[in-house]
Amino acid sequence: MLKLLVVEDHALVREGLVGLLSQMEEGVEVYESADFESAIGMLDNEGDFDLVLLDLALPGIDGFAGLDILRRRYPAMPVAVVSAFDDTPTVTRVLNLGASGFIPKALNGECLLNAVREVLAGNIFRPSGQQPARMDDAIPVPPSSVSVRPEEIGLTERQAQVLCLMVRGLSNRDIAEQLDLSEGTVKIHATAVFKALGVNSRTQALVTAARYGIDFGDVF
């Protein structure tokens, strides 16, 4: 018998998810929790769950820290994040922390159920067709109160160095001299940085780096 847990603080959203997931198959058990602490208690007391669906923006705990705690405490249990924060760096960081999938809240019911089935089948679900970040308030602020390491959002060491020097205001030519690279190679790394951040320009990359509080302390 399928056993699921929904961890979501907004009652209307939680009830909607529980109702939707109850349609997955006959006999499915869907538990619900409005906060992280009670979710841990439920996981400890109710036996094995087939899947936890976790909201990132829970009260009282950083969403990424909560995901990390679940992965460490229950390593055999898959966790899928269901969140409105579906920009590229957030999705990448969630998957790098060991989530079995990232399911945007913007999905319709049928697509959400298909995503859950994909995770239950042992696959990693990642949303397709993500929109690049923009220079306006459409870029969601991630629910994190701590800094982010470059590798957590998919940046290599060299890409992190290039972005760090961009943040410091260096031009591509200056970055090339600083890193002993050709200017063309710097441009290639910059393009990879834009892709990892889900943006299209240097200015957008700087905005996104600031909003995520990327920690460049160990890149040099």
Side-chain angles (χ1 to χ4, degrees), residues 20 103-104 106-118 125:
L20 186 64
I103 304 174
L107 292 182
N108 62 37
E110 182 180 354
C111 291
L112 189 144
L113 288 179
N114 286 337
V116 171
R117 291 189 183 100
E118 186 84 5
F125 180 83

Side-chain angles (χ1 to χ4, degrees), residues 22 43 45 48-49 76 86 97 134 143 157 167 189 195 210 220:
S22 298
L43 290 169
N45 297 324
D48 294 335
F49 283 81
D86 59 353
L97 282 171
R134 298 191 294 273
E157 181 179 0
V167 169
H189 286 307
K195 182 177 181 181
F220 290 106

Side-chain angles (χ1 to χ4, degrees), residues 3-215:
K3 192 174 180 181
L4 311 174
L5 173 60
V6 174
V7 188
E8 163 67 59
D9 63 315
H10 289 95
L12 189 61
V13 177
R14 185 175 66 251
E15 291 167 7
L17 284 171
V18 170
L20 186 64
L21 293 168
S22 298
Q23 303 172 26
M24 285 199 65
E25 62 180 49
E26 186 176 353
V28 61
E29 289 185 293
V30 185
Y31 293 73
E32 58 183 283
S33 173
D35 60 76
F36 190 79
E37 185 176 352
S38 62
I40 292 293
M42 199 170 292
L43 290 169
D44 287 341
N45 297 324
E46 297 293 341
D48 294 335
F49 283 81
D50 296 290
L51 176 65
V52 172
L53 292 102
L54 175 72
D55 179 32
L56 277 184
L58 293 171
I61 188 169
D62 173 75
F64 300 108
L67 172 60
D68 189 48
I69 289 170
L70 290 180
R71 296 302 303 126
R72 293 175 186 274
R73 188 161 178 167
Y74 313 100
M77 180 188 68
V79 179
V81 165
V82 182
S83 178
F85 298 97
D86 59 353
D87 54 296
T88 301
T90 297
V91 174
T92 301
R93 189 179 182 194
V94 160
L95 296 180
N96 285 346
L97 282 171
S100 296
F102 188 103
I103 304 174
K105 287 183 177 178
L107 292 182
N108 62 37
E110 182 180 354
C111 291
L112 189 144
L113 288 179
N114 286 337
V116 171
R117 291 189 183 100
E118 186 84 5
V119 173
L120 289 170
N123 300 315
I124 303 294
F125 180 83
R126 179 174 186 139
S128 59
Q130 287 174 251
Q131 296 299 313
R134 298 191 294 273
M135 276 293 295
D136 53 25
D137 291 337
I139 306 175
V141 179
S144 174
S145 58
V146 296
S147 59
V148 179
R149 296 191 304 275
E151 63 269 21
E152 289 185 284
I153 55 174
L155 295 177
T156 66
E157 181 179 0
R158 183 64 86 187
Q159 290 163 7
Q161 291 171 344
V162 169
L163 179 57
C164 177
L165 295 176
M166 284 183 185
V167 169
R168 294 179 185 177
L170 275 67
S171 66
N172 284 348
R173 179 178 296 180
D174 293 335
I175 293 172
E177 292 179 359
Q178 179 92 10
L179 299 179
D180 196 24
L181 301 171
S182 71
E183 193 170 346
T185 300
V186 170
K187 289 180 180 178
I188 291 172
H189 286 307
T191 299
V193 168
F194 298 162
K195 182 177 181 181
L197 297 180
V199 301
N200 296 316
S201 71
R202 175 187 280 250
T203 302
Q204 292 174 352
L206 298 184
V207 171
T208 303
R211 292 191 177 190
Y212 278 84
I214 298 175
D215 181 6

